[in-house]
């Protein structure tokens, strides 16, 4: 009997992958002028990318593939995701500020779909998808670094003092720079690990990775360095072999970045009238005690909120509307944020999903066949570990770039791992109901965030300038409660 040639799904995900990669390349520097403030512009770019991505659920080939991937998940994974989304929606509807809650849960829902899109694209077009994702992240890092050096040099020639606001770089949409670095320092090296990369490009790609580490030396926070320590302990521990081989490129980029930083610091020290030196270690030391006190107060405020609102929380995105003294719109800790805003049940489901993801990622390093090496997989796991470690201290998953990078890296890890043979693939006929549910939920989430984002836009332009320094959560004004 003649076998029917299977349909190529990799071509199906070309357009979704293009949307994701375009965002990864441009989001760190592109300021489209949509909103009045940089942080709001970054959020609109994220929402626009997600909307373009999710409208493609209307294509039967895409919704069918996503439905199949959903049904291949274990029951535990599906239940945790459903509890997080459904519990968050209920919490939003009973919260004091429904619009803020719906914005937050709508965005979270779209980010979960982003995870599914990336996983399917990588699974169906492994080599091509990995190459374009790696180059896109590297290009985003390169553009961010290039813009930094151009702006810094122009300031020096003009005799102006460059505004270091550690750990923020305010000249681009990467408002919280070190949280962007946490997810990109390791993936920036992946193009060097691809066998298809030509030798002529390797020096330039290495320079990009080294410059990323140089910027980390200049403005890096303690949380990212702690994340690096976690990576250096767990990843070599889980690898079966070639630990030093995997570490070689990353160590070389880190040390080259240190050399760039030392040279940069020496030039600035020799010419103190040129422009301001980088904050680096001094800013970390100066912020040490105040930072610890603030984090402690935020943790206490979150725990108090959990005790007072255990079932449904205070509402997604509404922790910053509670009375507490630190100047922050979120608890700077992702687990505490989930528990305080979503409630114990839905928040625990979100935390459980994250823990299962980390455990799965680490197990992929141990499940390789003896003698097999996978430096790209190890690098992605390193990025996930560094980012999640930083999230424990900074709550980086409220930031646009950090959110997208987390779910892209997670989907990349899952997509490049073969589906478990213990889970029986469902019959195509059983796709109808989950396909309808996925399309409905995805488009509903897009509709909610789009309508509310358009409603917020004219409002934000009328907000007085003296509110500008407020710490952002979803929008620039993290404690804005009159909407």
């Amino acid at each position: 009997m003649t076998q029917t040639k299977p349909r190529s799904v990799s071509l199906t995900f070309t357009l979704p992958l293009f949307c994701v990669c375009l965002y990864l390349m441009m989001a760190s520097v592109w300021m489209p002028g949509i909103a009045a403030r940089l942080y709001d512009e970054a959020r609109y770019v994220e929402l626009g990318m997600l909307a373009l991505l999710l409208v493609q659920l209307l294509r039967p080939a895409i919704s069918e593939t996503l439905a199949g991937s959903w049904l291949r998940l274990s029951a535990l994974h599906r239940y945790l995701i459903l509890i997080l989304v459904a519990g968050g929606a209920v919490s939003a509807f009973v919260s004091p500020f429904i619009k803020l809650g719906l914005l937050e849960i709508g965005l979270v829902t779209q980010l979960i779909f982003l995870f599914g899109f990336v996983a399917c694209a990588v699974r169906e077009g492994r080599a091509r998808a990995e190459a374009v994702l790696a180059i896109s992240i590297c290009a985003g890092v390169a553009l961010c670094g290039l813009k930094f050096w151009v702006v810094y040099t122009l300031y020096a020639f003009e005799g102006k003092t460059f505004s270091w606001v550690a750990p923020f770089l305010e000249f681009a949409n990467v408002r919280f720079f070190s949280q962007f670095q946490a997810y990109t320092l390791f993936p920036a090296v992946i193009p060097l690990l691809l066998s298809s990369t030509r030798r002529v490009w390797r020096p330039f790609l290495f320079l990009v990775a080294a410059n990323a580490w140089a910027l980390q030396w200049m403005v890096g926070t303690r949380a990212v360095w702690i994340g690096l320590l976690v990576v250096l302990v767990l990843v070599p521990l889980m690898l079966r072999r070639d630990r030093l081989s995997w570490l070689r490129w990353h160590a070389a980029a880190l040390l080259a970045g240190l050399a760039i930083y030392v040279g940069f610091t020496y030039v600035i020290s020799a010419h103190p009238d040129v422009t301001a030196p980088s904050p680096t270690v001094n800013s970390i030391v100066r912020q040490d005690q105040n930072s610890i006190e603030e984090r402690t107060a935020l943790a206490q405020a979150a725990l108090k909120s959990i005790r007072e609102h255990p079932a449904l929380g205070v509402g997604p995105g509404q922790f910053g509307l509670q009375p507490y003294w630190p100047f922050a719109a979120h608890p700077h800790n992702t687990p505490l944020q989930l528990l305080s805003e979503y409630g114990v049940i839905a928040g625990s489901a979100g935390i459980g999903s994250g823990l299962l993801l980390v455990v799965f990622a680490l197990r992929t390093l141990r499940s390789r066949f003896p003698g097999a090496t996978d430096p790209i997989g190890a690098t992605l796991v390193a990025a996930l570990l560094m980012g999640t470690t930083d999230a424990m201290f900074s709550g980086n998953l409220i930031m646009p770039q950090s959110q997208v990078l987390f779910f892209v890296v997670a989907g990349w890890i899952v997509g490049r791992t073969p589906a478990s043979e213990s889970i029986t693939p469902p019959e195509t006929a059983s796709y109808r109901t989950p396909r309808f549910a996925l399309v409905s939920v995805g488009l509903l989430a897009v509709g909610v965030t789009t309508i509310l984002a358009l409603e917020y836009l004219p409002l934000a332009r009328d907000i007085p300038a003296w509110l500008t320094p407020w710490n952002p959560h979803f929008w620039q004004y993290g404690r804005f409660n009159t909407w």
Side-chain angles (χ1 to χ4, degrees):
M1 183 177 66
T2 304
Q3 293 184 344
T4 303
K5 184 178 180 180
R7 181 185 55 188
S8 176
V9 188
S10 61
L11 295 177
T12 303
F13 282 89
T14 298
L15 185 56
L17 197 59
F18 173 79
C19 295
V20 175
C21 290
L22 184 62
Y23 177 91
L24 294 175
M25 286 190 291
M26 301 302 299
S28 64
V29 297
W30 186 36
M31 296 181 288
I34 298 173
R37 271 68 175 191
L38 292 181
Y39 188 80
D40 288 346
E41 288 180 351
R43 184 67 74 191
Y44 277 105
V45 172
E46 177 192 27
L47 291 177
M49 181 273 291
L50 291 173
L52 290 175
L53 191 69
L54 266 71
V55 294
Q56 296 175 70
L57 288 170
L58 295 172
R59 297 169 58 188
I62 287 181
S63 58
E64 180 180 314
T65 304
L66 286 173
S69 297
W70 170 257
L71 293 174
R72 284 182 172 86
L73 290 175
S74 68
L76 177 60
H77 288 83
R78 290 191 301 230
Y79 288 147
L80 289 176
I81 294 174
L82 289 173
I83 292 172
L84 171 64
V85 174
V90 173
S91 177
F93 276 109
V94 302
S95 66
F97 305 98
I98 297 178
K99 292 180 180 179
L100 294 176
L102 291 178
L103 272 171
E104 191 79 19
I105 193 61
L107 175 60
V108 169
T109 303
Q110 292 176 73
L111 290 169
I112 294 172
F113 274 95
L114 170 64
F115 164 82
F117 271 96
V118 174
C120 289
V122 172
R123 180 170 291 134
E124 302 298 339
R126 171 74 174 270
R128 181 181 302 174
E130 286 200 336
V132 296
L133 284 170
I135 294 300
S136 299
I137 292 177
C138 187
V141 173
L143 287 174
C144 185
L146 177 63
K147 189 165 188 178
F148 164 76
W149 286 110
V150 169
V151 173
Y152 193 93
T153 302
L154 289 176
Y155 272 47
F157 276 111
E158 295 173 4
K160 297 191 300 185
T161 300
F162 184 82
S163 177
W164 295 96
V165 188
F168 315 135
L169 293 179
E170 305 243 54
F171 61 82
N173 273 344
V174 183
R175 169 78 185 261
F176 289 9
F177 180 71
S178 291
Q179 298 173 8
F180 171 76
Q181 289 285 85
Y183 290 98
T184 56
L185 282 170
F186 280 97
V189 178
I190 291 181
L192 293 167
L193 307 176
L194 296 172
S195 59
S196 58
T197 302
R198 297 181 180 180
R199 286 184 178 273
V200 69
W201 287 104
R202 290 183 178 274
F204 170 75
L205 295 172
F206 180 77
L207 179 62
V208 170
N211 187 68
W213 278 106
L215 292 176
Q216 172 62 24
W217 284 102
M218 293 178 191
V219 296
T221 60
R222 290 164 295 175
V224 177
W225 294 118
I226 294 173
L228 176 62
L229 293 178
V230 171
V231 168
L232 294 179
V233 171
L234 290 182
V235 173
L237 182 66
M238 300 303 292
L239 287 174
R240 290 181 177 272
R241 52 172 295 174
D242 292 335
R243 298 178 178 89
L244 294 179
S245 176
W246 168 77
L247 192 59
R248 180 183 59 184
W249 280 111
H250 298 291
L254 186 150
L255 294 176
L258 176 61
I260 295 173
Y261 161 69
V262 171
F264 171 81
T265 304
Y266 174 77
V267 171
I268 297 302
S269 300
H271 303 280
D273 57 328
V274 173
T275 187
S278 63
T280 187
V281 178
N282 291 332
S283 68
I284 296 176
V285 173
R286 285 198 305 269
Q287 295 178 5
D288 184 66
Q289 188 60 38
N290 292 335
S291 178
I292 293 175
E293 291 176 358
E294 181 176 305
R295 295 299 193 276
T296 302
L298 288 171
Q300 292 173 348
L303 293 173
K304 178 183 176 182
S305 177
I306 295 168
R307 289 193 299 269
E308 294 176 351
H309 308 276
L312 296 175
V314 298
Q318 298 176 49
F319 174 84
L321 303 181
Q322 310 307 305
Y324 55 89
W325 72 262
F327 185 72
H330 56 97
H332 286 71
N333 179 284
T334 298
L336 287 178
Q337 179 188 338
L338 286 170
L339 292 172
S340 62
E341 293 187 348
Y342 287 69
V344 173
I345 298 175
S348 297
I351 296 171
S353 298
L355 288 175
L356 286 176
L357 174 64
V358 171
V359 171
F360 173 84
L362 290 172
R363 289 181 62 184
T364 61
L365 301 181
R366 297 293 294 175
S367 62
R368 300 295 171 189
F369 295 107
T373 59
D374 185 15
I376 295 177
T379 300
L380 291 171
V381 174
L384 182 68
L385 290 174
M386 180 178 277
T388 52
T389 301
D390 181 82
M392 299 294 293
F393 299 95
S394 69
N396 63 44
L397 290 181
I398 71 166
M399 303 301 163
Q401 284 85 6
S402 298
Q403 289 174 338
V404 171
L405 285 164
F406 172 84
F407 285 94
V408 166
V409 169
W412 192 348
I413 292 172
V414 172
R416 70 195 315 273
T417 305
S420 175
E421 296 180 358
S422 62
I423 302 176
T424 304
E427 297 294 332
T428 304
S430 65
Y431 287 1
R432 182 173 300 174
T433 300
R435 277 180 60 188
F436 177 78
L438 287 174
V439 173
S440 301
V441 171
L443 295 183
L444 177 62
V446 171
V448 167
T449 55
T450 300
I451 292 172
L452 294 178
L454 292 176
E455 182 181 333
Y456 169 83
L457 184 58
L459 185 68
R461 290 173 174 165
D462 295 332
I463 293 178
W466 58 267
L467 288 178
T468 300
W470 285 26
N471 281 1
H473 187 123
F474 193 103
W475 299 117
Q476 172 76 25
Y477 310 101
R479 299 189 183 200
F480 182 60
N481 60 359
T482 59
W483 179 39

